Amino acid sequence: MTSANTPPSPVRLVVLASGSGTLLQALLDAAAAPAAPFEVVAVGADSARRAAPALARGELAGAETFVVEVRDHPDRASWDAALVSQLARHRPDLVISAGFMRVLGAAVLESFGGRIVNTHPALLPSFPGAHGVRDALAHGVKVTGCTVHLVDDGVDTGPVLAQRAVEVLDDDDEDALHERIKTVERALLVDVVTRMTTGGWTVEGRKARFL
């Protein structure tokens, strides 16, 4: 079965982040360009302390911000419900998981499934999970990279939207390799979101393509 998605203009993005927000900043910079096809209307985080830099970036750009702390909720289901409530308040056309270190639960997927985009610092399906860079180095691969994909109910298992390769150098450690991947990852995320928000996309089974 094929599903097609034609976006409105400008597309409303809510960006979720858990750290410094460099991926978020790439989107904010692109959104500030004349006639940009998307706008970042809100930035959300799972920790006010860890994501303080990302939240500050959003505020500086004029986006609303919100935090849904896991520790403030008795269980995962209630945290998921609170996140859905916050997301819905901002009426996103796309939700961007940009370095957001939480697996999105069933309630989020039920409300926004097919419209959630995630980045990952490896060439999926190789090296999914929280340690993609470390795992690629440990495996001894000569080429790794980054992936932008749609989110499903697995961990880094959704349909791939785009990928770019990054060479692994002989003297790479995890930090050095990850920094080179991040540079490519930021550009790739902006390119993917731009293509999604200007022309739309389709998903047929596991295959996603831009219109």
Side-chain angles (χ1 to χ4, degrees):
M1 180 173 136
T2 302
S3 61
N5 302 271
T6 303
S9 182
V11 171
R12 296 171 60 85
L13 306 184
V14 173
V15 182
L16 301 176
S18 292
S20 65
T22 57
L23 284 165
L24 163 66
Q25 189 64 56
L27 291 171
L28 291 171
D29 291 345
F38 57 85
E39 58 181 337
V40 178
V41 298
V43 176
D46 59 331
S47 168
R49 179 183 59 81
R50 287 189 299 108
L55 295 169
R57 291 175 191 270
E59 290 172 356
L60 185 62
E64 294 189 45
T65 62
F66 63 88
V67 179
V68 185
E69 297 264 10
V70 174
R71 63 185 179 183
D72 291 342
H73 299 275
D75 53 39
R76 178 55 190 267
S78 64
W79 180 82
D80 286 338
L83 181 58
V84 168
S85 178
Q86 286 286 355
L87 289 170
R89 188 165 65 87
H90 298 287
R91 298 178 290 109
D93 300 305
L94 285 175
V95 176
I96 311 297
S97 175
F100 190 62
M101 302 306 290
R102 298 284 176 184
V103 175
L104 299 175
V108 180
L109 294 174
E110 183 177 342
S111 297
F112 303 101
R115 296 185 287 132
I116 307 173
V117 176
N118 184 51
T119 69
H120 182 72
L123 295 175
L124 296 173
S126 297
F127 314 117
H131 304 294
V133 180
R134 182 190 308 173
D135 293 344
L137 273 175
H139 202 76
V141 298
K142 301 303 182 184
V143 176
T144 184
C146 53
T147 302
V148 179
H149 65 96
L150 294 169
V151 173
D152 63 8
D153 59 0
V155 177
D156 299 323
T157 56
V160 170
L161 290 161
Q163 295 179 306
R164 287 185 186 166
V166 174
E167 183 182 3
V168 180
L169 305 180
D170 289 342
D171 59 351
D172 267 336
D173 59 18
E174 184 177 355
D175 289 340
L177 178 57
H178 202 177
E179 284 303 314
R180 292 207 316 283
I181 292 173
K182 285 179 182 178
T183 299
V184 175
E185 191 176 21
R186 289 191 286 267
L188 181 61
L189 177 60
V190 170
D191 180 64
V192 167
V193 173
T194 299
R195 295 178 72 180
M196 293 176 79
T197 56
T198 52
W201 70 100
T202 65
V203 179
E204 183 175 2
R206 292 204 48 78
K207 294 184 178 181
R209 68 180 182 89
F210 301 110
L211 298 175

